[in-house]
């Protein structure tokens, strides 16, 4: 992709995020974005269909950045280091993730994040489980839902406990799952 196109898209997205923080999604118009970015309104429409498309692309980008960070910094197990990595990244980028979570009336951010977390948990648990209680999808959906719920709580309450504390608490709750996965790994 042409460097100028990337730069323009990033300018539009950054402007959108600034306006999201100031006004909230409902009050933002394409004119607001164009004015603030000092570009023509048609330029915004050249890159994005409307503000809903822009929100969707923004969510897509930040979910992808989170997943890329996790993929690059941890192994593919249900481990304390994997959880800690997620919470550290969210902590470093807290403002943007709080904005996306709180300004998404239609649940795009949550559903996209849920889908990706559930898929990751299924992959981690899938090939390692011989116990039927862990292999029918219930466990992966339970873990993904619980994790998303805790993540939302942590973000919405402005990180009421630090990364180490939340990681330790989650790992103690996940102990039955992680023990099962470790014992299955050791037997193979």
């Amino acid at each position: 992709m042409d460097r100028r196109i990337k730069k323009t898209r990033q300018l539009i997205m950054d402007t959108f995020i600034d306006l999201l923080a100031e006004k909230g999604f409902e009050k933002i118009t394409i004119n607001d974005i164009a004015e603030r970015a000092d570009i023509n309104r048609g330029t915004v429409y050249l890159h994005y269909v409307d503000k809903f498309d822009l929100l969707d692309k923004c969510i897509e980008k930040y979910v992808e950045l989170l997943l890329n960070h996790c993929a690059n910094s941890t192994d593919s197990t249900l481990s304390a280091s994997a959880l800690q990595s997620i919470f550290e990244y969210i902590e470093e980028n807290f403002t943007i993730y709080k904005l996306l979570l709180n300004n998404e009336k239609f649940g795009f951010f949550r559903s996209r994040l849920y889908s990706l977390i559930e898929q990751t948990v299924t992959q981690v648990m899938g090939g390692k489980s011989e116990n039927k209680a862990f292999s029918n999808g219930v466990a992966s959906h339970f873990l993904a839902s619980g994790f998303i719920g805790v993540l939302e709580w942590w973000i919405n309450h402005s990180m009421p406990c630090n990364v180490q504390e939340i990681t330790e608490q989650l790992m103690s709750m996940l102990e039955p799952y992680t023990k099962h996965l470790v014992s299955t790994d050791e037997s193979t």
Side-chain angles (χ1 to χ4, degrees):
M1 180 183 305
D2 187 307
R3 215 174 38 192
R4 291 172 294 173
I5 293 171
K6 282 183 185 178
K7 190 175 177 181
T8 301
R9 284 186 182 170
Q10 190 61 50
L11 172 66
I12 294 168
M13 194 172 285
D14 290 345
T15 302
F16 174 71
I17 289 168
D18 289 344
L19 288 167
L20 200 57
E22 289 174 30
K23 297 176 136 189
F25 181 73
E26 295 299 321
K27 294 181 181 175
I28 296 173
T29 66
I30 295 298
N31 282 340
D32 294 335
I33 296 167
E35 267 183 43
R36 177 76 60 92
D38 196 26
I39 58 176
N40 187 307
R41 180 183 146 116
T43 303
V44 177
Y45 284 118
L46 184 64
H47 296 280
Y48 302 99
V49 174
D50 54 21
K51 72 179 189 177
F52 295 95
D53 182 43
L54 181 53
L55 177 63
D56 191 42
K57 297 292 190 290
C58 190
I59 289 167
E60 206 171 275
K61 175 186 175 179
Y62 285 98
V63 168
E64 186 177 310
L65 287 171
L66 174 62
L67 292 175
N68 287 341
H69 169 79
C70 295
N72 293 333
S73 64
T74 63
D75 56 21
S76 62
T77 63
L78 196 58
S79 68
S81 65
L83 289 176
Q84 186 165 338
S85 177
I86 292 169
F87 282 102
E88 286 171 348
Y89 187 78
I90 299 270
E91 182 181 49
E92 290 168 16
N93 299 280
F94 180 75
T95 304
I96 187 66
Y97 287 100
K98 184 164 180 128
L99 271 173
L100 292 175
L101 189 61
N102 291 331
N103 279 286
E104 59 133 10
K105 181 178 177 183
F106 304 104
F108 299 133
F109 179 70
R110 188 185 197 288
S111 64
R112 180 135 324 129
L113 189 58
Y114 176 88
S115 174
L116 293 167
I117 298 271
E118 190 276 328
Q119 187 176 40
T120 303
V121 170
T122 299
Q123 287 172 352
V124 169
M125 292 180 70
K128 299 178 180 179
S129 180
E130 295 171 8
N131 181 340
K132 287 191 184 241
F134 291 98
S135 61
N136 64 5
V138 172
S140 61
H141 284 285
F142 173 76
L143 291 171
S145 296
F147 179 76
I148 294 295
V150 169
L151 188 63
E152 284 178 328
W153 168 82
W154 193 67
I155 291 170
N156 287 330
H157 289 87
S158 299
M159 301 178 289
C161 54
N162 67 38
V163 170
Q164 187 66 36
E165 290 170 324
I166 198 160
T167 301
E168 288 172 4
Q169 288 180 39
L170 281 172
M171 285 310 294
S172 71
M173 287 183 267
L174 293 172
E175 192 172 344
Y177 298 99
T178 56
K179 272 185 182 178
H180 173 73
L181 293 174
V182 170
S183 65
T184 303
D185 281 346
E186 289 172 356
S187 66
T188 54

